[in-house]
């Protein structure tokens, strides 16, 4: 074999499409990793969310108190060594109830957001990829749903169904799916006529496989960002419904219920409202920071536009 052929063989592996594709993926992953490390919003929001998750999982195991056990001799005590965040009107430890409330609030937000995501993504895929009459009908339903204020509609649904955490999840899921449907439909419309989708269609690939292999990967990033931002919204809305008596019922330890129980003692025991209120605010801010950071990492165009506006 000549030197020319040997040189060609030695160069070929570097020029092989699979090798170039692998190098491209490695480059994108390294760039994304650097973006994650350099993004303060993502690190701060993710750190707070991870801390909340750890507290909600580990806290109930290590706390020495029962969140529902009453101790009237210790009612309305201020922060102390025995009760770091004080006690409520029934002598229950506020710190313990706060930890149990974190578990309920995070679990409720995760379930409601997941239901929203599944329903909205499915309907958005059907509308965007189906087109025609199906798209027109589905989007008119979405427009009608979005015409109602979300919290008011959730109040109506929860009031009709009755006060319970399950009904809160149903109400918040029914209210929020339309936003996902609109985002997914827009993403599908932007890619469904591209060459690789048309090639798969002409090749005879089933529609379900095209949607799963070619359309779903393009909508994952915006849907993930939207879901992260929605988690904070759901936490706030669920606390509001519980505050109004439509969510968790006593003696369940839930942040909105804790605020409702403590409003009578606003002047004599302000920690009863301050502690769960700060917890709700920190949780919502953390999810917003996490969603903003994920948008910067997963959507480089958005980050470039923001940097351009700054300069």
């Amino acid at each position: 074999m000549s030197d020319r052929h040997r040189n060609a063989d030695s160069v070929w592996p570097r020029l092989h499409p699979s090798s170039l594709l692998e190098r491209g993926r490695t480059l994108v992953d390294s760039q994304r990793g650097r973006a994650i490390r350099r993004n303060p919003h993502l690190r701060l929001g993710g750190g707070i969310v991870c801390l909340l998750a750890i507290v909600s999982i580990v806290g109930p195991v290590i706390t020495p108190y029962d969140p529902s056990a009453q101790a009237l001799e210790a009612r309305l005590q201020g922060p102390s060594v025995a009760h770091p965040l004080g006690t409520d009107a029934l002598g229950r430890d506020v710190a313990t109830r706060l930890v149990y409330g974190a578990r309920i609030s995070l679990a409720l937000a995760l379930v409601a957001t997941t239901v929203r995501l599944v329903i909205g993504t499915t309907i958005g895929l059907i509308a965007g990829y189906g087109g025609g009459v199906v798209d027109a009908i589905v989007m008119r339903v979405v427009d009608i749903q979005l015409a109602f204020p979300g919290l008011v509609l959730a109040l109506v649904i929860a009031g009709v169904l009755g006060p319970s955490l399950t009904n809160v999840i149903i109400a918040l899921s029914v209210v929020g799916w339309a936003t996902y449907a609109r985002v997914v439909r827009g993403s599908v419309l932007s890619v469904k006529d591209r060459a690789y989708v048309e090639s798969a269609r002409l090749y005879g690939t089933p529609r379900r496989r095209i949607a799963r292999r070619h359309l779903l990967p393009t909508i994952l990033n915006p849907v993930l960002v939207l879901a992260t931002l929605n988690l904070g919204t759901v936490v706030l809305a669920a606390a509001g419904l519980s505050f109004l008596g439509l969510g968790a019922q006593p003696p369940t330890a839930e942040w909105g219920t804790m605020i409702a129980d403590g409003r009578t003692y606003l002047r004599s025991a302000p920690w009863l409202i301050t502690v769960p209120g700060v917890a709700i605010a920190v949780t919502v801010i953390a999810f917003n920071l996490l969603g903003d950071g994920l948008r910067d990492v997963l959507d480089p165009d958005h980050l470039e536009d923001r940097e351009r506006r700054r300069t």
Side-chain angles (χ1 to χ4, degrees):
M1 183 181 295
S2 64
D3 294 340
R4 180 178 180 181
H5 287 88
R6 282 196 296 269
N7 293 335
D9 291 339
S10 63
V11 173
W12 167 248
R14 291 180 293 172
L15 300 180
H16 195 274
S18 61
S19 176
L20 292 176
L21 181 59
E22 188 65 28
R23 289 190 178 187
R25 289 176 178 174
T26 303
L27 179 60
V28 171
D29 292 340
S30 62
Q31 291 176 345
R32 185 166 293 175
R34 288 196 298 270
I36 292 174
R37 290 191 297 270
R38 295 176 181 176
N39 194 299
H41 293 171
L42 186 60
R43 289 183 296 171
L44 180 58
I48 296 175
V49 170
C50 290
L51 180 61
L52 288 171
I54 293 173
V55 168
S56 64
I57 295 173
V58 179
V61 178
I62 62 176
T63 181
Y65 300 104
D66 186 336
S68 302
Q70 301 180 13
L72 297 180
E73 68 280 1
R75 63 189 303 268
L76 297 179
Q77 290 185 358
S80 62
V81 176
H83 303 283
L85 298 178
T87 60
D88 63 4
L90 298 177
R92 298 172 295 191
D93 184 65
V94 174
T96 300
R97 292 181 60 80
L98 187 73
V99 170
Y100 277 85
R103 171 180 287 187
I104 294 176
S105 296
L106 294 180
L108 189 150
L110 184 61
V111 173
T113 303
T114 302
V115 175
R116 285 182 176 187
L117 188 150
V118 172
I119 296 175
T121 300
T122 303
I123 294 177
L125 276 172
I126 295 173
Y129 192 53
V133 178
V134 175
D135 184 25
I137 294 175
V138 171
M139 293 315 296
R140 296 297 76 77
V141 174
V142 170
D143 291 339
I144 293 173
Q145 198 275 330
L146 292 176
F148 293 94
L151 186 58
V152 175
L153 184 58
L155 283 170
V156 172
I157 296 174
V160 171
L161 296 178
S164 72
L165 288 175
T166 302
N167 293 336
V168 168
I169 294 175
I170 295 174
L172 295 178
S173 301
V174 170
V175 167
W177 66 267
T179 305
Y180 290 89
R182 174 166 288 183
V183 171
V184 171
R185 173 184 176 270
S187 300
V188 171
L189 290 177
S190 66
V191 300
K192 77 171 188 176
D193 293 328
R194 292 186 179 179
Y196 63 90
V197 179
E198 290 291 340
S199 299
R201 188 182 298 116
L202 294 175
Y203 188 72
T205 305
R207 285 194 168 190
R208 185 176 300 177
R209 183 177 177 84
I210 292 176
R212 185 175 66 252
R213 293 290 300 275
H214 301 292
L215 299 181
L216 274 178
T218 64
I219 66 176
L220 286 180
N221 290 350
V223 167
L224 180 60
V225 173
L226 179 60
T228 306
L229 294 172
N230 270 179
L231 285 169
T233 304
V234 173
V235 169
L236 185 60
L241 292 176
S242 296
F243 176 81
L244 296 175
L246 298 175
Q249 299 299 301
T252 303
E254 199 273 340
W255 290 344
T257 306
M258 292 174 65
I259 295 177
D261 293 340
R263 59 184 173 178
T264 307
Y265 308 95
L266 179 59
R267 292 189 177 182
S268 59
W271 60 85
L272 297 181
I273 291 181
T274 304
V275 170
V278 170
I280 294 172
V282 170
T283 303
V284 174
I285 293 173
F287 280 120
N288 287 340
L289 290 175
L290 181 59
D292 192 25
L294 284 176
R295 182 173 54 181
D296 292 343
V297 173
L298 300 178
D299 187 7
D301 295 335
H302 165 76
L303 183 59
E304 292 177 0
D305 292 340
R306 193 169 69 176
E307 293 296 333
R308 192 179 301 113
R309 288 195 299 267
R310 288 180 178 178
T311 55

